[in-house]
């Protein structure tokens, strides 16, 4: 949808609205045609664009990496094989440097989070009007193509990581050890309420910080692209190109930070010295 068809405020709101499917107050199910209708659907509404784009990018990641693994050759490696191997080596070095436990799941988890988030973040480099205009021509009112600008996506990933943290904390330390870690540190048994408060806040801050850091940075970047799209055509390219080049760093950096914190948090879950 071209920016000239809407006022500036309406244009911004349109591009920040997800394609939402849910249950209307009268009981029927369908897609929301306005932000007010999406709000009426409540908590159980589904952001179809976030799920769809995330699924497609995840499927592409699995397909191409599996294909590279099947066609891997020692004698004559292809350029794509070398590219995939460089990513795997990069992840492996980070896991070896930050994770001291023994868990074969950590490296694949780090690889998946890094590549998947890079792919989702990279959608921010697609011009803001291209895909929404295409889908608008097909009758789709709203489309947000950057899943990481939706807090539902970032919190979904961080909560999944949080569940793994809890699982391995209990598995490696035992239930008593995990509870003791929360209640006896850092001030000892005589300060149990203070210990529980401090350690509880520290534990809950992990998924919140993971989700909000990724969402906040990508949302801000997307907002800048939308604001640039409101400018006259001759100014758009002079601003959007430098910002897109700089944004490549943000795309990679946010994925790297998320992946690094996942490794660090998993390492903390496996530590038994306390």
């Amino acid at each position: 949808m071209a920016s000239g068809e809407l006022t500036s405020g309406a244009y911004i709101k349109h591009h920040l609205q997800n394609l939402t499917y849910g249950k209307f107050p009268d009981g029927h199910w369908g897609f929301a045609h306005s932000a007010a209708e999406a709000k009426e659907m409540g908590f159980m509404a589904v952001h179809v664009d976030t799920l769809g784009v995330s699924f497609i990018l995840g499927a592409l990641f699995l397909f191409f990496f599996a294909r590279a693994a099947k066609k891997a050759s020692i004698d004559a490696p292809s350029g794509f094989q070398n590219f995939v191997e460089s990513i795997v080596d990069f992840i492996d070095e980070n896991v070896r440097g930050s994770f001291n436990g023994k868990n074969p799941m950590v490296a694949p988890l780090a690889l998946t989070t890094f590549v998947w988030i890079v792919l989702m973040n990279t959608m921010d480099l697609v011009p803001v009007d291209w895909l929404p205009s295409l889908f608008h021509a097909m009758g789709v009112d709203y489309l947000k193509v950057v899943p990481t600008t939706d807090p539902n996506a970032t919190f979904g990933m961080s909560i999944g990581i949080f569940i793994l943290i809890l699982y391995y904390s209990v598995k490696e330390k035992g239930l008593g050890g995990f509870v003791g870690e929360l209640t006896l540190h850092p001030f000892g048994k005589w300060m149990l309420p203070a210990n529980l408060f401090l350690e509880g806040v520290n534990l809950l801050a992990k998924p919140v910080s993971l989700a909000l850091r990724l969402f906040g940075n990508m949302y801000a970047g997307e907002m800048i692209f939308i604001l640039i799209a409101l400018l006259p055509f001759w100014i758009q390219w002079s601003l959007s190109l430098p910002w897109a080049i700089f944004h490549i760093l943000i795309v990679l950096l946010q994925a790297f930070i998320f992946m690094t914190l996942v490794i660090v948090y998993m390492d903390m879950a496996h530590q038994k010295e306390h």
Side-chain angles (χ1 to χ4, degrees):
M1 182 174 292
S3 59
E5 299 176 9
L6 299 171
T7 64
S8 297
Y11 179 78
I12 294 173
K13 290 180 180 179
H14 178 273
H15 279 68
L16 296 179
Q17 176 63 41
N18 286 96
L19 177 60
T20 307
Y21 182 86
K23 187 176 182 180
F24 287 90
D26 62 4
H28 81 279
W29 292 77
F31 288 97
H33 298 287
S34 67
E37 288 185 355
K39 185 177 181 180
E40 290 176 351
M41 291 177 176
F43 179 76
M44 297 306 295
V46 176
H47 289 176
V48 179
D49 45 8
T50 296
L51 290 175
V53 175
S54 300
F55 178 82
I56 291 171
L57 294 176
L60 289 174
F61 158 58
L62 293 176
F63 173 78
F64 284 110
F65 271 62
R67 186 176 181 181
K70 290 180 180 179
K71 294 188 175 183
S73 171
I74 299 177
D75 298 326
S78 65
F80 184 69
Q81 178 184 332
N82 291 330
F83 174 70
V84 170
E85 288 180 351
S86 66
I87 296 176
V88 173
D89 289 341
F90 170 73
I91 300 298
D92 186 61
E93 289 178 4
N94 279 273
V95 172
R96 291 177 182 274
S98 302
F99 184 75
N100 298 312
K102 294 182 179 180
N103 190 335
M105 188 272 296
V106 173
L109 176 65
L111 175 66
T112 301
T113 55
F114 178 75
V115 177
W116 198 21
I117 292 174
V118 165
L119 292 175
M120 289 190 286
N121 289 354
T122 302
M123 295 301 293
D124 210 5
L125 301 178
V126 178
V128 295
D129 282 328
W130 283 11
L131 292 178
S133 296
L134 175 63
F135 277 80
H136 181 71
M138 296 186 292
V140 179
D141 294 321
Y142 301 100
L143 184 71
K144 280 183 67 176
V145 300
V146 188
T148 45
T149 60
D150 185 350
N152 293 283
T154 59
F155 269 98
M157 290 187 289
S158 66
I159 291 173
I161 299 299
F162 184 59
I163 292 173
L164 288 175
I165 292 172
L166 295 179
Y167 173 76
Y168 283 106
S169 292
V170 174
K171 180 180 179 181
E172 296 295 324
K173 306 168 187 178
L175 181 59
F178 178 58
V179 173
E181 187 178 74
L182 290 178
T183 57
L184 301 178
H185 295 91
F187 302 122
K189 62 181 180 179
W190 303 112
M191 296 288 287
L192 189 148
N195 294 333
L196 182 59
F197 175 76
L198 291 175
E199 292 296 322
V201 169
N202 180 55
L203 181 64
L204 295 176
K206 293 175 181 178
V208 175
S209 63
L210 275 177
L212 292 183
R213 180 183 293 105
L214 179 58
F215 162 71
N217 282 277
M218 297 312 300
Y219 186 88
E222 178 70 1
M223 177 63 75
I224 292 177
F225 277 121
I226 293 173
L227 293 175
I228 292 174
L230 289 169
L231 300 173
F233 179 81
W234 60 275
I235 301 180
Q236 289 183 22
W237 286 103
S238 63
L239 294 178
S240 61
L241 182 59
W243 176 244
I245 295 173
F246 174 74
H247 203 59
I248 294 173
L249 175 63
I250 298 176
V251 165
L252 297 174
L253 182 61
Q254 291 306 312
F256 174 74
I257 292 174
F258 194 101
M259 178 267 294
T260 300
L261 289 176
V262 167
I263 298 172
V264 171
Y265 291 159
M266 291 297 291
D267 179 65
M268 294 171 65
H270 285 71
Q271 291 178 5
K272 302 178 182 179
E273 62 268 22
H274 297 302

